Amino acid sequence: MAEPALEGLIEALRRLPGVGQKSAQRMAFHLLQHDREGAQRIAHALTTAVNDIRHCERCHTFTEAAICRTCLDDTRDQRLLCVVETPADQAAMERTGSYRGLYFVLMGRLSPLDGIGVRDIGLQQLVSRAGDGSVDEVIVATSFTAEGEATAHVIAEALKLRGVKVTRLARGVPIGSELEYVDLGTIAHALVDRR
Amino acid sequence: MAEPALEGLIEALRRLPGVGQKSAQRMAFHLLQHDREGAQRIAHALTTAVNDIRHCERCHTFTEAAICRTCLDDTRDQRLLCVVETPADQAAMERTGSYRGLYFVLMGRLSPLDGIGVRDIGLQQLVSRAGDGSVDEVIVATSFTAEGEATAHVIAEALKLRGVKVTRLARGVPIGSELEYVDLGTIAHALVDRR
């Protein structure tokens, strides 16, 4: 095959995360053979999103306005700030229905090996936001992975310097699990954090 | 999240084969956060491909011209026609370096359950192409799966009615495999087809 438009499409689709040569080829063939309307829709959606989506000036999540709806919602508790890694994590928090405060979305996590430092997660903006006297408590809800924990640590240290109260989501045994099948690190943490 | 541009992008990316809600979300976040230039490139490549890529009038493969380069290549053996399911299969045949004839690409395979019938694989065009007296032998190289075998059978029957010689790729033990680990159906076929 030496059709430039086809080669170009396969090459471009490889930019998608988790998509290699074979998947890109399968996607290109599928779209061209069975779903050209889908291809046009994807192209249009990409262009629209790239043009319209930016970061909320207050919480950094994706938004089409200068400030996102969540930040503008004055029925929310303005004195609580929850720090999450991604908009997907924020959506998960929202779905619990147990949180009514505001958010700060890091849009990533510290990962020195990938060259992602404190500047990339907007640590400075988080500290000035949380340290301006309007926030009583910052709940750090980064992942419970090595990188997420390191990120939580750096954030907590920076906020404590400004005298802000920092808490972390509880570690423990997940709901619905039998102790026998829970990993030992989790049980050990649940024991230490018993209440 | 209720940003229409973001929701629209995730929804559109789900049109890609093998991509569900979670993958589409991950792709959208990745492109918007880390690779907006990639997003634009994909959009452009999709539009270009949809506009420029059509089917070769002779062999049905993807091409930007009316007739593809392979069909126009007069150094090839015009009296041999190899029937494959997809351009990817055609590319695999080409990479072997052992075939110098022409192709007919079905752009699919018979699959009654998915509503793919003889019209969708261009059986009529294949029969008139192979039966016009210019072709000595048709090599059926569809997959060795249930659907591929059924497709091969239907093609062979239709071509034999026109008096065309039809052959099938040999079934047998793959190169480099130890007999102990080859599935029994393959060994049985290799035994029947011994030479």
Side-chain angles (χ1 to χ4, degrees):
Chain A
M1 285 179 303
E3 301 296 329
L6 188 55
E7 292 290 338
L9 177 56
I10 293 169
E11 196 57 39
L13 288 170
R14 289 187 59 181
R15 300 282 285 254
L16 293 169
V19 174
Q21 176 70 20
K22 289 255 172 183
S23 306
Q25 193 171 296
R26 196 161 62 94
M27 287 173 173
F29 289 165
H30 172 82
L31 291 175
L32 290 171
Q33 184 66 14
H34 301 294
D35 195 11
R36 289 190 176 224
E37 190 241 323
Q40 282 164 323
R41 188 175 293 193
I42 296 169
H44 182 255
L46 282 166
T47 308
T48 306
V50 166
N51 289 336
D52 294 358
I53 297 282
R54 49 180 158 161
H55 293 292
C56 171
E57 289 170 12
R58 296 190 69 199
C59 76
H60 283 195
T61 198
F62 289 129
T63 175
E64 291 173 40
I67 311 250
C68 76
R69 291 167 213 220
T70 310
C71 285
L72 288 176
D73 181 354
D74 55 16
T75 67
R76 285 176 169 269
D77 186 344
Q78 312 285 318
R79 306 198 68 81
L80 261 183
L81 196 65
C82 178
V83 178
V84 290
E85 289 177 7
T86 65
D89 294 343
Q90 180 183 2
M93 283 292 292
E94 284 294 289
R95 281 198 302 276
T96 67
S98 327
Y99 181 71
R100 289 295 299 163
L102 297 178
Y103 290 92
F104 189 91
V105 186
L106 302 171
M107 304 304 290
R109 63 181 95 170
L110 287 179
S111 179
L113 289 178
D114 301 320
I116 300 172
V118 291
R119 198 181 291 261
D120 302 291
I121 62 170
L123 184 65
Q124 196 49 59
Q125 291 92 318
L126 170 59
V127 169
S128 25
R129 169 85 194 283
D132 66 359
S134 68
V135 175
D136 287 340
E137 179 183 348
V138 172
I139 303 168
V140 180
T142 55
S143 303
F144 286 89
T145 59
E147 290 175 346
E149 294 280 19
T151 308
H153 179 75
V154 169
I155 289 170
E157 290 301 307
L159 290 174
K160 276 173 195 161
L161 283 180
R162 299 289 291 260
V164 182
K165 180 183 173 192
V166 182
T167 57
R168 181 95 168 98
L169 285 189
R171 274 176 293 218
V173 180
I175 303 302
S177 54
E178 293 181 65
L179 219 57
E180 181 180 355
Y181 300 108
V182 174
D183 74 289
L184 301 183
T186 297
I187 296 179
H189 271 300
L191 195 60
V192 171
D193 293 351
R194 70 185 180 279
R195 28 167 290 177
Chain B
M1 284 178 303
E3 301 296 330
L6 188 55
E7 293 292 337
L9 177 57
I10 293 170
E11 197 54 41
L13 288 170
R14 291 187 58 180
R15 302 281 285 253
L16 293 169
V19 174
Q21 176 70 20
K22 289 254 173 185
S23 306
Q25 192 171 299
R26 195 161 62 94
M27 288 172 172
F29 289 164
H30 173 82
L31 291 175
L32 289 172
Q33 184 66 15
H34 301 295
D35 195 11
R36 290 191 175 224
E37 190 241 323
Q40 283 165 324
R41 188 175 293 194
I42 295 169
H44 182 253
L46 282 166
T47 308
T48 306
V50 167
N51 289 336
D52 293 358
I53 299 281
R54 48 181 158 164
H55 293 293
C56 171
E57 289 169 14
R58 297 190 68 199
C59 76
H60 283 195
T61 197
F62 289 129
T63 173
E64 289 172 41
I67 311 251
C68 75
R69 291 167 212 220
T70 310
C71 286
L72 288 176
D73 180 354
D74 57 15
T75 68
R76 286 176 170 268
D77 186 343
Q78 312 284 318
R79 306 198 67 81
L80 260 183
L81 196 64
C82 179
V83 178
V84 290
E85 290 178 6
T86 65
D89 294 344
Q90 179 182 5
M93 284 290 293
E94 284 295 288
R95 279 199 303 276
T96 68
S98 325
Y99 182 71
R100 289 296 298 164
L102 298 178
Y103 290 93
F104 189 91
V105 185
L106 302 172
M107 304 305 290
R109 63 180 95 170
L110 288 179
S111 178
L113 290 178
D114 302 320
I116 300 172
V118 292
R119 199 182 290 261
D120 302 290
I121 62 169
L123 184 65
Q124 196 49 58
Q125 291 92 319
L126 170 59
V127 169
S128 25
R129 168 85 194 281
D132 68 358
S134 68
V135 174
D136 287 340
E137 179 183 349
V138 173
I139 302 168
V140 181
T142 54
S143 302
F144 286 89
T145 59
E147 290 175 346
E149 293 280 18
T151 308
H153 179 76
V154 170
I155 290 170
E157 291 301 306
L159 289 174
K160 276 172 194 161
L161 284 179
R162 301 289 292 260
V164 182
K165 179 183 173 192
V166 182
T167 57
R168 181 93 169 100
L169 285 189
R171 274 178 292 220
V173 180
I175 303 303
S177 54
E178 293 180 66
L179 219 56
E180 181 181 354
Y181 300 108
V182 174
D183 74 290
L184 301 183
T186 298
I187 296 179
H189 271 300
L191 195 60
V192 172
D193 294 351
R194 69 186 179 278
R195 28 168 289 176

